[in-house]
Amino acid sequence: MAGAAAEQRRFATVVESWLGRPVLIVGDAMLDEWRFADSDRLCREAPAPVLTLRRRISAAGGAANTAVNVAALGGRAVLVAPVGADVAGDELHDCLDRASVWDRTVNQPGRPTPVKRRMLAGNQILLREDSGDPEDALDHDGVSRLLTALSCATEELRAAAGGEAPTLVVCDYGLGALPAPVRAWLVENRQRYATVALDAHDLADWRGLAPTVVTPSFAEATRLLARAGGTTRPTGGTELHLEHPDSDPVDGPSEMTVGAAPGAVRADDTAAELTRADRPGPVGEPTPGEGRVALTGDGLSVTGTGVTVNTRAGEGVDRAVLARSRLAELRAHTGADVVAVTLDTEGAVVGGADGEPRRSHSTPVPASHAVGAGDAYLAAMTLALAADAPLPTAAQLAQLAATITVSDTGTCVCRRDDLLAALDQPTDSTSHPALVSGDELDAIVAEYREAGRSVVFTNGCFDVLHRGHVRYLEQARALGDLLIVAVNSDGSVRRLKGPDRPVNPVEDRGALLAALACVDHVVVFEEDSPAALIEAVRPDVYVKGGDYPPELVPEAPLVRRLGGQVRTLGYVPDRSTSAIIERIRSHSQDPSPHVDDREPDPSLRTRTQAS
């Protein structure tokens, strides 16, 4: 028991060490839409259920969900991807904002945002409708703007991390977000990134990238081996081998045969035993249409897009055994330091330079519970390797992150607190209140410093809290381990804004800020400038809102003298306290002819008076 507890503490140390680590995610971003319905009858026109929609949920998918998982696990996630100028694109932007992902997506008018719409009844997926076509290629201008966004986001992350090279995650799901010029740029600029993770349906497209880690599914791994050609590997033991035809059919899939290596059939095996239809075979992935593998009805082979794997010749052959036997070749073909072959609910097989395969296991769950679990696996594996964790630790953390996300229907996201809780570790090292005094703040900051946590500091009036404030504070929180917000007192606001401000007293303003999940502590200051608090806190990052360079921030010289960075974050357009107040005033002065003059519901009047 003591050994297990020590191992969990070691894992938790790695989770703490990747807090704030800069990660750039690029690739195919999409929107996951879940529609939950009830059905209690069939329609008259066909033997099909009549559905009554009860609930609809939208979530980030693909590369966007990988970015959400990186942010949720404590990394500093920036997403660069083409997104359509459509309703789905707007919803995807909202998903990224809520997850505190730095949204550096590139608007692509005329190219729709890919969407996966699932309709469920009784938690059973009845159908899935996909929109977004690989044929919707980026035009020349779109490619150019995507490359500019990549370069700018890379430098932005490097600056935010004090010059540290960021981590890169490439998510290529064949939807056209990463055309040849973008792939060439990433290969050419590989040296700008410390750690590179690759998740691609077609790994052959990424020759020359030299990734740190690749995470192919079983189908993607076998497809790569098949396309690489290959002669049979002679062995003297029971190792599996692959045979590949001399050439692919002109219009057909690649094909491999998997069986026992020459001489590997045991002496006590009979011909009947080798051909039994009830022989244990691999458990297949359920969705061959997505390039995955599905078990055939005879129990002898698994098939998928571009590859057929025949297990008839070898007793007990399964995907994990096959993956273990070919890890070295997969590393050679991809140029990766680490290969992690994911097997869905069967876990994963991971191999590194030491040649020692690692096997991890998962818990079988319904397919509707596992959507996006691979994104959680990829995010945790990448963060762990970027934090220099040993490969066995990174593999176990990645599997744990994927496993704990599959408890319910929906797109999987693993949060740092959930991961620490699964490791039986406390999720917060302090129990300090959110609203604190200046004296309390000194002691709190000292405690955080001792724990090695970085401090982000911002200040403002925050008179009428609105969406622009919330997005700004979420982005500020993503720059470090905790966020301290200093709020101007009522007297200070009157001196800065005029005698009719603030609209809300400082007690209300502070309470609302403290209720935000992205805000760790709120402190009130009486002065017109937060200089004294900045001197006391000595923030690692000082943040102000505005579309001007950091050099124009009045507090910038002080922050830099104390060893901190200064960042400015742009506001949400058309969202400001002054504009909201002006709208309220104009409405109150306008006797609108459309106002309903009917007598209000007496029960409503009673509730209003009581409140």
Side-chain angles (χ1 to χ4, degrees), residues 27 54 74 133 166 189 229 288 383 403 462 540 580:
R54 298 301 185 192
D133 194 323
N189 289 271
L383 286 167
T403 301
F462 300 100
D540 298 280
I580 292 172

Side-chain angles (χ1 to χ4, degrees), residues 327-346:
L327 285 174
E329 289 170 82
L330 289 168
R331 288 185 63 245
H333 288 312
T334 59
D337 297 328
V338 175
V339 172
V341 181
T342 56
L343 307 172
D344 290 313
T345 56
E346 295 178 58

Side-chain angles (χ1 to χ4, degrees), residues 120-143:
L120 302 90
N123 254 10
Q124 173 66 47
I125 296 179
L126 301 181
L127 62 89
R128 195 183 86 186
E129 175 195 7
D130 288 3
S131 61
D133 194 323
E135 302 303 319
D136 296 329
L138 298 177
D139 58 22
H140 177 76
D141 179 63
V143 170

Side-chain angles (χ1 to χ4, degrees), residues 17 41 90 132 135 139 156 188 192 246 308 310 365 440 472 478 516 534 561 576 580 599:
S17 71
R41 61 192 175 94
D90 292 342
E135 302 303 319
D139 58 22
E156 181 182 23
E188 183 180 348
R192 297 173 71 174
D246 293 334
T308 299
N310 185 350
V365 295
E440 290 175 307
Y472 163 78
L516 296 177
I534 292 173
R561 179 170 61 81
S576 75
I580 292 172
E599 180 70 17

Side-chain angles (χ1 to χ4, degrees), residues 434-436 458-466 469-470 473 484-528 577 581:
L435 284 164
V436 297
T458 190
N459 63 277
C461 300
F462 300 100
D463 192 0
V464 177
L465 199 64
H466 53 74
H469 287 140
V470 174
L473 292 171
I484 296 172
V485 180
V487 185
N488 294 77
S489 68
D490 292 347
S492 177
V493 174
R494 279 192 289 272
R495 292 192 295 271
L496 293 171
K497 302 288 186 179
D500 58 345
R501 299 280 295 276
V503 173
N504 294 305
V506 72
E507 293 81 9
D508 292 352
R509 292 184 281 127
L512 285 174
L513 288 167
L516 296 177
C518 57
V519 175
D520 294 283
H521 299 293
V522 177
V523 61
V524 177
F525 66 100
E526 296 289 342
E527 301 81 10
D528 295 344
T577 299
I581 293 173

Side-chain angles (χ1 to χ4, degrees), residues 76 97 100-104 456 468-480 483 518 543 569-572:
R76 188 175 301 167
D97 284 346
S100 299
V101 173
W102 293 9
D103 185 353
R104 302 297 181 264
V456 181
H469 287 140
V470 174
R471 180 178 178 182
Y472 163 78
L473 292 171
E474 287 175 339
Q475 291 179 331
R477 176 62 175 79
L479 296 174
L483 174 63
C518 57
V543 183
L569 301 176
Y571 292 120
V572 176

Side-chain angles (χ1 to χ4, degrees), residues 308-378:
T308 299
V309 183
N310 185 350
T311 64
R312 182 168 184 164
E315 181 176 7
V317 172
D318 64 19
R319 298 186 302 166
V321 174
L322 173 60
R324 288 184 59 170
S325 71
R326 309 312 292 270
L327 285 174
E329 289 170 82
L330 289 168
R331 288 185 63 245
H333 288 312
T334 59
D337 297 328
V338 175
V339 172
V341 181
T342 56
L343 307 172
D344 290 313
T345 56
E346 295 178 58
V349 175
V350 182
D354 60 4
E356 183 67 30
R358 282 92 180 172
R359 179 77 165 95
S360 60
H361 297 270
S362 184
T363 303
V365 295
S368 62
H369 289 196
V371 174
D375 303 327
Y377 184 98
L378 175 63

